[in-house]
Amino acid sequence: MKKRIFAAVAAAAVLSSQPARAQGNGAAELAELVRGLGVNTRVLMIGAHPDDEDTQLLTWLARGRHVETAYLSLTRGDGGQNLIGNELGEALGAIRTEELLAARRIDGAHQYFTRAYDFGFSKSAEETYKHWPKDSILRDVVSVVRDFKPHVVIAVFSGTPRDGHGHHQVSGLLAREAFDLAADSVRMPTSVTHDRAPWAPLKFYRSARFGGESTYRFDVGEYSPLRGESYAEMAADSRSQHKSQAQGTLRRKGVIMDGVRLEASRVSTVVPGMTEKSLFDGIDTTWARVAGEAAPSSRAVVDSIPLAISAVQRAYDPLAPERLLASLDRVRQLTGEVRGGARDVAETMIVLTNRVQRAILIASQVGSDVTADHETWADEEPIYVTTAIFDRGAAPMKARVDFVPPSPSTRLKEAAALGSVQFRDTIRDTAITEPWWLRAPRVGDIFSTPITARPEGVLPSRHSAFISADVGAAPFGVYWPITFRYADPVKGEIDRPIAIVPAVSVTVDQPIQYVPANRPFDRVVRVELRSASNHARSVRVSLTLPRGLTADSSSIAIGLPDYAGNFGGEGEPQGIPGGRAVAGNSATRTVEFHVRGTLTEGRFRIAATAESEGHRYATGYTLVDYDHIRPQRLYRDATIELSAVNVQVASGLAVAYIPGVGDNVAPMLAQLGVPITIVEPDKVAAMDLSRFTTVVVGPRAYESSPALVAANPKLLDFARHGHTLVVQYGQFEMANPGMMPYPITLVRPGDRVTEENAAVRISDPSSPILNGPNRIGPADWEGWVQERSLYMPRTHDARYRTMVSMNDTGEQPNDGAILVAPLGAGTYVYTTLALFRQLPAGVPGGARLFVNLLSADQRSAGTPAPNPKP
């Protein structure tokens, strides 16, 4: 047990890594820590996605009641849409992971995930389990329960069809199964739960946010005098971190009631249906419980902990925090003396040690800067780190610095009161910095990298300094991430974690591209080289081409500067004769190859490779970078997948494209030969649209742009004057008066076809949209990804003409995927087909159908079919 306690102390220090840099909120956070030292209960909430969590309850528990609290999200939200950028899929999952971590830093809870990939909307648990092997995800959930060891588990969802989303329903089902199985070592041996031993949570609740009676209600609008705001206001700030989902929330004041319903209990005195006064009714929350579960030799030590905690609380003085150090150190010593006993005892000591370490850090008034002089470092080269530790209190300090990864030298230095010490070290690391769950390719809709069964962000940053200090005889240890710090003229100080990247990063434009099949084409392939090296170098770039294609150069040589964009004063080396080296920004350079040839229908691959100083580079990263989250680098091979499609584009077409949410459609249309002009939503009102034959509105563009809503009458007039307006799907705003020329109705939740291979029935085979310029047949509905259609109208005005119907298994057909209507002298097209997913994926049929929509005219609108829907 002694070894485990030492590991626990180290883990507790790790827990301090994220907020350590700025001493938290000073006296307010210190007071919360001091008040929470005696709280020994834990609560785990389980949901399906980022933004499912009851942020108000998490905040009220973690900040208001000092309960150790965590949220387990089955997925990272990869399958949704993105209201702040164009990232989708795994890139969106990385954004939403960071948004959850940003939220947890505000509300004070921890964050867990399983290996489940968010494959998109699902209508049932049965459909969801076709994508997620139930046993695999259940083992992950049980692993988390056994790791966190909650006394109370709260499921966000009911586990029934009324949850509306198959993922939601599965999260509710698995939460209950994990509650039942986590203590069962026969059905769930430790070998399948990352060696986490069995644990029996005592009570299981379901959230009452979405209906149903509560057995316990509480006011999350309660005011915190320490923070000067209510827990609901803090929760609003936490919720507002989900920016990619447009979850910005008002900070409401006053009484705000929340509630949960008890469903199962292992506490003999509390049964489902009873009205409760606390989540912990029937659970002994005193230290007597911990002492009773401790080994006999440690019971006296545990019994003395409450008195030691009381001494800390009596010593608290916000203007003289150093007075806490001696009493805090006494609590730390006692936790280290506890040996053996039940698993609850060990976990309680870990949590208490973490809180004591964090309190000592704040009370010591020690500050630190651990910095490198730039952000990205080549995996082949040393990293130079400067660590400055500042003693800002009245007591002298001794400090030691170790590194992750280790430094060859570790030194101990002392500083007098109000002094500082500084270390300069060199470390090396060859492991590329990337989201850990993306290190290996997915297997279907499961990430193949095993979960760590630890809260996300708890393990130290890959590049950290472990600072152990002794201030006034009170030792503590904390990880500080190594960062690159600089001053932005507008934003002020910016701290960015350093990253290990290839010395030469190789990326290509648009990794999936369309080309016309069976026709000669000429395409410029741009290869970007990004340097992280500490010196300039020569690089030779070449392409591997499929049969039928040739490039104007077999390879191109180029001079690549160092990470700062410098060539060492010798000037930029010149490429070989005929090479096209296009200068980039700072440490980047772009080379261009002209590729020509003819391809038959199908998929083909172009690969780019760079060679330099005996190394071969064939991967690169995309930087995902937003102000509210930490930057992430996502790696992929430097390859282009060509989708050769037999497609015809009508002559005389001129298209204005208004981008929507998460919209990567326009460049794909351009690759097909569509003359296209991008018009930003806020420019529509002032734009002369008369030169265009067609205007396309991107998915959910109205929802994300009030300026576009205001300009919608102009777009409708554009159609009335003999042009074509194509609008891709929106949500419930599309049913508002004036949004569409004729009314539609939508239901909640919206009708959608989530089975990407669902049968498509042609109700109007003579429709020009299905016949020209490309004849749409059964093959064009094959190979679709994620879903067919979403937020489909349930009913629509008789003036709309329909041509297809579709539905998921067991549901009624819906003919609202494509609506076409005459409008004045022109044509209005509304489509809820998920074309915004099909074109970026290179789906041939999606491309051919979209091109047909661009050419729709009043022949396409025609006369509505008999007996249209009202």
Side-chain angles (χ1 to χ4, degrees):
M1 187 62 186
K2 182 177 181 180
K3 182 177 180 181
R4 179 169 181 171
I5 290 294
F6 286 152
V9 172
V14 171
L15 289 171
S16 301
S17 63
Q18 290 306 325
R21 296 194 58 79
Q23 303 288 7
N25 288 316
E29 183 165 343
L30 181 57
E32 285 184 350
L33 286 165
V34 169
R35 291 179 64 184
L37 290 178
V39 179
N40 54 38
T41 46
R42 298 178 293 278
V43 173
L44 175 66
M45 182 181 292
I46 300 176
H49 308 108
D51 91 341
D52 286 346
E53 73 271 28
D54 184 344
T55 313
Q56 294 179 332
L57 176 52
L58 291 177
T59 309
W60 183 78
L61 286 170
R63 296 294 187 194
R65 296 298 177 269
H66 316 297
V67 173
E68 196 75 356
T69 309
Y71 173 55
L72 166 60
S73 176
L74 297 190
T75 76
R76 298 174 185 271
D78 326 74
Q81 289 185 261
N82 182 1
L83 275 75
I84 60 174
N86 292 334
E87 297 89 353
L88 295 174
E90 291 175 350
L92 179 56
I95 291 173
R96 292 189 173 175
T97 294
E98 284 297 319
E99 289 180 335
L100 272 177
L101 295 177
R104 297 296 82 85
R105 288 192 285 271
I106 293 171
D107 60 42
H110 300 295
Q111 181 64 51
Y112 287 91
F113 297 95
T114 75
R115 289 171 293 159
Y117 175 76
D118 181 352
F119 57 86
F121 189 83
S122 167
K123 293 182 178 177
S124 68
E126 292 74 22
E127 180 189 358
T128 299
Y129 283 137
K130 292 178 182 178
H131 293 261
W132 300 343
K134 179 182 176 181
D135 289 348
S136 298
I137 304 305
L138 178 58
R139 285 196 294 266
D140 285 356
V141 177
V142 172
S143 297
V144 170
V145 171
R146 289 179 173 182
D147 180 73
F148 190 67
K149 303 178 185 65
H151 301 99
V152 172
V153 174
I154 301 173
V156 175
F157 296 104
S158 69
T160 67
R162 73 178 177 86
D163 292 329
H165 192 318
H167 299 182
H168 293 168
Q169 188 175 348
V170 164
S171 75
L173 292 168
L174 294 183
R176 178 57 193 269
E177 290 187 58
F179 174 83
D180 294 335
L181 288 174
D184 191 331
S185 61
V186 176
R187 288 185 290 174
M188 277 288 172
T190 59
S191 60
V192 301
T193 59
H194 304 276
D195 295 323
R196 299 304 195 266
W199 174 258
L202 298 177
K203 300 171 77 174
F204 180 84
Y205 290 87
R206 293 197 189 273
S207 171
R209 283 195 304 163
F210 305 115
E213 295 184 0
S214 302
T215 57
Y216 175 51
R217 288 175 58 78
F218 40 89
D219 177 17
V220 295
E222 181 184 343
Y223 181 74
S224 168
L226 290 174
R227 296 273 178 169
E229 56 189 344
S230 72
Y231 300 111
E233 289 176 283
M234 297 179 214
D237 291 344
S238 172
R239 189 75 174 176
S240 295
Q241 300 309 302
H242 295 296
K243 299 183 189 301
S244 66
Q245 301 182 75
Q247 291 289 316
T249 303
L250 288 173
R251 306 177 85 245
R252 294 168 54 203
K253 298 177 176 65
V255 174
I256 301 173
M257 300 303 294
D258 201 346
V260 293
R261 182 180 68 260
L262 181 66
E263 183 175 296
S265 172
R266 292 188 171 99
V267 179
S268 60
T269 58
V270 179
V271 296
M274 290 178 57
T275 299
E276 298 182 276
K277 296 181 180 180
S278 165
L279 285 176
F280 306 104
D281 277 4
I283 300 174
D284 183 359
T285 60
T286 71
W287 284 89
R289 182 197 84 237
V290 183
E293 296 176 341
S297 60
S298 294
R299 286 174 185 167
V301 177
V302 176
D303 283 336
S304 64
I305 287 177
L307 291 175
I309 290 173
S310 295
V312 174
Q313 293 169 342
R314 288 194 303 271
Y316 175 71
D317 181 344
L319 299 180
E322 67 277 1
R323 294 177 185 173
L324 287 173
L325 291 174
S327 54
L328 284 169
D329 189 52
R330 174 58 181 160
V331 178
R332 183 194 62 79
Q333 291 174 18
L334 290 172
T335 62
E337 293 172 11
V338 177
R339 303 287 188 271
R343 285 181 289 277
D344 188 25
V345 177
E347 190 66 24
T348 300
M349 292 305 111
I350 290 174
V351 172
L352 179 56
T353 302
N354 173 51
R355 293 178 177 183
V356 169
Q357 289 270 24
R358 179 70 186 142
I360 291 175
L361 172 64
I362 298 175
S364 71
Q365 303 166 75
V366 169
S368 181
D369 292 324
V370 185
T371 58
D373 65 5
H374 57 280
E375 183 176 352
T376 55
W377 294 77
D379 56 348
E380 307 162 10
E381 299 169 353
I383 305 167
Y384 303 106
V385 182
T386 299
T387 305
I389 306 172
F390 302 91
D391 184 4
R392 298 178 290 190
M397 173 189 70
K398 293 181 181 179
R400 170 190 171 107
V401 177
D402 300 273
F403 285 92
V404 180
S407 168
S409 63
T410 298
R411 287 159 291 171
L412 178 69
K413 291 190 178 184
E414 297 186 24
L418 303 177
S420 65
V421 294
Q422 191 170 79
F423 303 81
R424 288 187 174 87
D425 293 272
T426 301
I427 61 175
R428 289 181 178 271
D429 191 9
T430 58
I432 297 298
T433 305
E434 61 181 325
W436 65 267
W437 65 94
L438 297 179
R439 290 173 189 156
R442 272 188 294 116
V443 177
D445 291 318
I446 296 290
F447 291 110
S448 56
T449 304
I451 65 170
T452 61
R454 293 294 294 157
E456 198 89 3
V458 163
L459 296 176
S461 166
R462 175 73 191 179
H463 310 105
S464 301
F466 182 75
I467 298 173
S468 47
D470 191 325
V471 180
F476 68 88
V478 64
Y479 284 97
W480 252 278
I482 302 170
T483 64
F484 169 52
R485 186 177 63 177
Y486 66 96
D488 181 278
V490 175
K491 300 174 184 177
E493 180 175 311
I494 303 293
D495 251 350
R496 295 172 67 88
I498 66 166
I500 305 302
V501 301
V504 179
S505 176
V506 186
T507 55
V508 293
D509 270 352
Q510 294 178 254
I512 297 178
Q513 298 185 18
Y514 284 121
V515 296
N518 302 310
R519 296 203 308 271
F521 71 92
D522 186 324
R523 179 72 50 86
V524 175
V525 173
R526 295 179 177 86
V527 181
E528 183 182 84
L529 307 175
R530 180 184 287 140
S531 173
S533 181
N534 58 18
H535 61 278
R537 56 174 68 208
S538 294
V539 182
R540 182 172 291 275
V541 186
S542 59
L543 296 182
T544 301
L545 300 172
R547 180 175 297 180
L549 299 185
T550 60
D552 56 349
S553 299
S554 59
S555 65
I556 297 175
I558 186 174
L560 190 64
D562 66 12
Y563 67 86
N566 300 317
F567 282 97
E570 299 178 0
E572 180 170 355
Q574 299 300 307
I576 61 172
R580 276 144 309 288
V582 182
N585 295 324
S586 185
T588 66
R589 293 293 184 272
T590 300
V591 297
E592 295 181 348
F593 294 86
H594 281 272
V595 175
R596 299 179 176 87
T598 303
L599 294 174
T600 59
E601 285 187 87
R603 294 266 181 161
F604 304 89
R605 184 172 177 268
I606 296 175
T609 304
E611 295 183 41
S612 178
E613 300 182 358
H615 293 272
R616 185 175 179 272
Y617 304 94
T619 62
Y621 64 85
T622 299
L623 179 63
V624 178
D625 195 9
Y626 293 94
D627 286 348
H628 67 298
I629 59 175
R630 297 176 302 183
Q632 297 287 313
R633 290 169 176 80
L634 308 184
Y635 283 82
R636 67 175 314 277
D637 293 338
T639 60
I640 298 173
E641 186 174 346
L642 298 176
S643 177
V645 181
N646 186 5
V647 62
Q648 302 294 323
V649 177
S651 60
L653 198 63
V655 177
Y657 194 100
I658 304 169
V661 170
D663 190 352
N664 297 302
V665 167
M668 307 303 289
L669 291 173
Q671 293 162 12
L672 295 167
V674 175
I676 201 159
T677 300
I678 302 295
V679 179
E680 294 300 328
D682 59 352
K683 305 297 183 186
V684 172
M687 184 83 173
D688 179 5
L689 301 175
S690 61
R691 63 187 176 92
F692 298 107
T693 61
T694 307
V695 169
V696 179
V697 178
R700 295 176 68 180
Y702 291 112
E703 177 188 357
S704 61
S705 175
L708 183 61
V709 173
N712 192 50
K714 178 177 180 176
L715 295 179
L716 297 176
D717 283 343
F718 169 82
R720 290 188 181 98
H721 284 88
H723 304 288
T724 300
L725 177 61
V726 179
V727 178
Q728 297 176 71
Y729 97 98
Q731 293 191 348
F732 302 103
E733 72 280 359
M734 300 307 298
N736 293 338
M739 289 300 298
M740 295 175 63
Y742 314 114
I744 63 170
T745 65
L746 295 162
V747 296
R748 294 179 184 267
D751 287 340
R752 57 204 301 167
V753 178
T754 62
E755 297 170 10
E756 62 268 27
N757 58 354
V760 177
R761 293 172 294 276
I762 306 301
S763 58
D764 183 6
S766 64
S767 168
I769 282 180
L770 301 181
N771 288 280
N774 303 286
R775 184 176 295 276
I776 303 301
D780 290 299
W781 301 104
E782 296 176 358
W784 282 46
V785 298
Q786 187 158 323
E787 55 197 342
R788 286 278 196 216
S789 188
L790 60 171
Y791 292 92
M792 304 169 74
R794 174 67 62 88
T795 65
H796 49 76
D797 188 276
R799 283 166 284 191
Y800 289 110
R801 181 178 183 181
T802 65
M803 59 220 64
V804 298
S805 73
M806 58 189 70
N807 56 274
D808 280 333
T809 303
E811 297 187 356
Q812 293 298 310
N814 187 307
D815 65 356
I818 304 175
L819 303 179
V820 188
L823 186 58
T827 308
Y828 181 90
V829 179
Y830 183 65
T831 178
T832 60
L833 291 170
L835 297 170
F836 72 98
R837 295 197 189 277
Q838 312 315 315
L839 269 70
V843 175
R848 287 162 46 84
L849 180 58
F850 207 123
V851 168
N852 284 11
L853 294 177
L854 300 177
S855 302
D857 55 24
Q858 290 213 323
R859 292 175 303 158
S860 306
T863 302
N867 302 317
K869 292 187 177 183

